[in-house]
Amino acid sequence: DIQMTQSPSSVSASVGDRVTITCRASQTISNYLNWYQQKPGNAPKVLIYAASSLESGVPSRFSGSGSGTDFTLTISRLQPEDFAIYYCQQSYTAPLTFGGGTKVEIK
Amino acid sequence: QVQLQESGPGLVEPSQTLSLTCTVSGDSINSNAYWWSWIRQSAGKGLEWIGRVHIAGTINYSPSFESRVTISVDTSKSQFSLKLNSVTAADTATYYCARDRFTMLRGLIHNWFDPWGQGTRVTVSS
């Protein structure tokens, strides 16, 4: 299985801050990488697919980059509604696997 | 817009079979453009993909579950189902169904989960 490792596991930030979350794959996955946001009590929701494509309806302050084994999710200016847990997921090969999550908390 | 809804018992006894159904509304489950997946989330193991089914009959299972899982689809009811045998306390989790969307980008096929059902909490306990 491809292991997905996210860092940090949590980050404290203020509204307006720029936040960067990293995801590393245990082997190369090209750009087969998706990012999800999960708020308490809700299912995950896709933000970014194919490493850098913004899902329709997702604010442009979210962006993704990377290829191979190293990927980044950036929130350019953190908004109150962005406090949540973020997960990466590889779609390169089955079994499809997720990272452990990064919790974005209010500073 | 498409909506997915999980249903099934919230409590299952150890060694028994966990059975869940996902009802798809707002779009046809018959579309060749999608797979239909089951995913679970637990405090101990995070998000785990269990497997997926395509209406053409192809099924993929995660090796972690392959020996005791069955996923099937009933297009007449617009539903797909999960059966997990011989459950233990380690199978206690929130179970989600999700549509596995595909698109072609620069000649490559990419897929991601969208949307997800709201999830159903299943506890394994006597």
Side-chain angles (χ1 to χ4, degrees), chain B residues 86-103:
Chain B
S86 306
V87 297
T88 69
D91 295 309
T92 294
T94 297
Y95 286 76
Y96 295 99
C97 57
R99 186 178 67 175
D100 203 341
R101 284 175 59 188
F102 284 76
T103 196

Side-chain angles (χ1 to χ4, degrees), chain A residues 1-61:
Chain A
D1 299 4
I2 297 176
Q3 307 303 315
M4 307 301 294
T5 303
Q6 287 183 236
S7 61
S9 56
S10 67
V11 57
S12 295
S14 301
V15 172
D17 284 354
R18 181 183 182 91
V19 173
T20 298
I21 298 168
T22 297
C23 178
R24 175 165 288 174
S26 61
Q27 65 185 74
T28 184
I29 58 171
S30 184
N31 65 335
Y32 289 87
L33 192 284
N34 307 316
W35 288 99
Y36 300 86
Q37 176 194 65
Q38 186 177 31
K39 295 182 179 179
N42 290 340
K45 168 192 158 187
V46 66
L47 300 174
I48 302 282
Y49 60 91
S52 60
S53 295
L54 191 68
E55 171 72 344
S56 176
V58 173
S60 59
R61 63 180 178 273

Side-chain angles (χ1 to χ4, degrees), chain A residues 21 23 33 35 48 50-53 63-67 70-74:
Chain A
I21 298 168
C23 178
L33 192 284
W35 288 99
I48 302 282
S52 60
S53 295
S63 63
S65 64
S67 186
D70 294 319
F71 302 87
T72 299
L73 173 70
T74 300

Side-chain angles (χ1 to χ4, degrees), chain A residues 1 30-34 36 38 41-46 48-53 55 87 89 91-92 94-99, chain B residues 37 39 41 46-49 52 60-64 96 100-101 103 105-106 108-119:
Chain A
D1 299 4
S30 184
N31 65 335
Y32 289 87
L33 192 284
N34 307 316
Y36 300 86
Q38 186 177 31
N42 290 340
K45 168 192 158 187
V46 66
I48 302 282
Y49 60 91
S52 60
S53 295
E55 171 72 344
Y87 296 94
Q89 175 245 325
S91 59
Y92 181 74
L96 309 176
T97 49
F98 293 84
Chain B
S37 277
I39 300 157
Q41 185 172 32
L47 287 161
E48 296 180 281
W49 177 73
R52 63 185 177 185
N60 299 147
Y61 294 133
S62 168
S64 298
Y96 295 99
D100 203 341
R101 284 175 59 188
T103 196
L105 288 173
R106 293 180 284 278
L108 300 174
I109 296 174
H110 288 267
N111 65 294
W112 63 96
F113 301 116
D114 175 67
W116 299 52
Q118 67 182 27

Side-chain angles (χ1 to χ4, degrees), chain B residues 8-37:
Chain B
L11 181 65
V12 181
E13 292 189 356
S15 80
Q16 298 302 302
T17 297
L18 180 161
S19 296
L20 297 174
T21 297
C22 181
T23 302
V24 179
S25 60
D27 194 6
S28 174
I29 200 171
N30 284 312
S31 172
N32 279 313
Y34 309 123
W35 289 73
W36 304 94
S37 277

